[in-house]
Amino acid sequence: SQQGEEDPQALSIQEGENATMNCSYKTSINNLQWYRQNSGRGLVHLILIRSNEREKHSGRLRVTLDTSKKSSSLLITASRAADTASYFCATLTGGGNKLTFGTGTQLKVEL
Amino acid sequence: DTEVTQTPKHLVMGMTNKKSLKCEQHMGHRAMYWYKQKAKKPPELMFVYSYEKLSINESVPSRFSPECPNSSLLNLHLHALQPEDSALYLCASSQTGPSGANVLTFGAGSRLTVL
């Protein structure tokens, strides 16, 4: 079952612009993670934010978490053509190892 | 070694065949996962093994049979599949411990086509 809904479903921007993706989820979480997937390949972990954190940075990535609204956003600054990929939020729930992925945002960065 | 290796990369099988997907990691991770991903959809969790024991089965049909022979290997045995089972099958692993982590390292996937 799906925990997260992401919007937009697809996003097309010019190189150098910022890209923002949003994720909403339904139940209480332990942490929220963002992953990237290049076409038809495995996913790569980008960043993790814990439920007691509000904002986190890693290089050109900035993630925010609002547990009262059950939402998160991923900002990629100064985008590059190589950032073209699908981006998924994923939530860890319960005390086990269940990581559930959101619907994903397809990002296209054009030269 | 920071990789998860999946074989084969591509597999075509008939509905009466028996085949297996294999996954290997040498990062000392004690949790291993199978996900199924259809085109333009998110990965869907199928199974989780923790310390070589099956801890999560997301009501997957019995034509999919997971096996974890040791802490480095994870197999997915396939039998009597249907065309709708065609998908990208992703293996992942993670450290275990406090539930605040569980960052997954994914393999490149095995693309399965059932004829």
Side-chain angles (χ1 to χ4, degrees):
Chain A
S1 63
Q2 227 156 260
Q3 160 78 313
E5 296 278 336
E6 291 182 58
D7 80 272
Q9 286 188 337
L11 179 60
S12 183
I13 60 174
Q14 297 294 310
E15 202 171 46
E17 294 180 337
N18 295 343
T20 300
M21 293 158 246
N22 302 296
C23 168
S24 60
Y25 57 91
K26 297 173 187 169
T27 63
S28 296
I29 59 171
N30 296 321
N31 68 51
L32 186 144
Q33 303 175 34
W34 286 88
Y35 287 79
R36 164 197 168 126
Q37 183 177 33
N38 287 84
S39 180
R41 299 186 58 80
L43 286 82
V44 175
H45 176 259
L46 295 176
I47 194 165
L48 176 153
I49 187 164
R50 299 183 193 280
S51 58
N52 61 353
E53 297 175 314
R54 292 297 166 258
E55 188 171 314
K56 204 157 181 186
H57 297 255
S58 176
R60 292 185 297 114
L61 305 180
R62 173 179 168 250
V63 170
T64 62
L65 179 65
D66 186 335
T67 53
S68 67
K69 295 181 179 177
K70 290 188 169 58
S71 68
S72 173
S73 67
L74 172 68
L75 169 68
I76 303 174
T77 59
S79 63
R80 305 165 182 168
D83 294 329
T84 294
S86 292
Y87 291 82
F88 294 95
C89 66
T91 50
L92 185 71
T93 57
N97 297 327
K98 186 167 180 175
L99 193 67
T100 306
F101 287 85
T103 51
T105 294
Q106 281 190 291
L107 174 65
K108 184 175 182 182
V109 181
E110 300 185 89
L111 293 169
Chain B
D1 188 351
T2 57
E3 283 190 344
V4 173
T5 303
Q6 289 188 244
T7 56
K9 285 186 170 48
H10 299 275
L11 178 63
V12 180
M13 60 186 289
M15 288 190 285
T16 58
N17 291 160
K18 282 186 182 181
K19 297 284 185 183
S20 297
L21 304 180
K22 296 185 184 300
C23 176
E24 188 169 3
Q25 58 89 15
H26 296 288
M27 294 176 281
H29 290 171
R30 300 307 295 272
M32 296 187 77
Y33 310 73
W34 281 114
Y35 281 84
K36 171 182 176 180
Q37 187 178 27
K38 303 280 270 186
K40 298 192 185 301
K41 296 290 187 183
E44 293 181 1
L45 183 64
M46 300 175 72
F47 303 104
V48 181
Y49 274 82
S50 181
Y51 293 93
E52 295 93 71
K53 288 190 181 353
L54 184 65
S55 61
I56 297 177
N57 176 343
E58 290 286 278
S59 303
V60 178
S62 60
R63 57 185 185 269
F64 295 92
S65 175
E67 179 196 19
C68 190
N70 60 55
S71 60
S72 300
L73 294 174
L74 184 66
N75 298 322
L76 186 62
H77 302 298
L78 314 170
H79 174 54
L81 295 194
Q82 304 296 310
E84 59 265 29
D85 296 322
S86 298
L88 181 68
Y89 288 84
L90 293 161
C91 174
S93 68
S94 75
Q95 294 179 336
T96 56
S99 59
N102 295 91
V103 171
L104 271 59
T105 301
F106 280 86
S110 292
R111 185 163 298 284
L112 173 67
T113 302
V114 182
L115 300 176

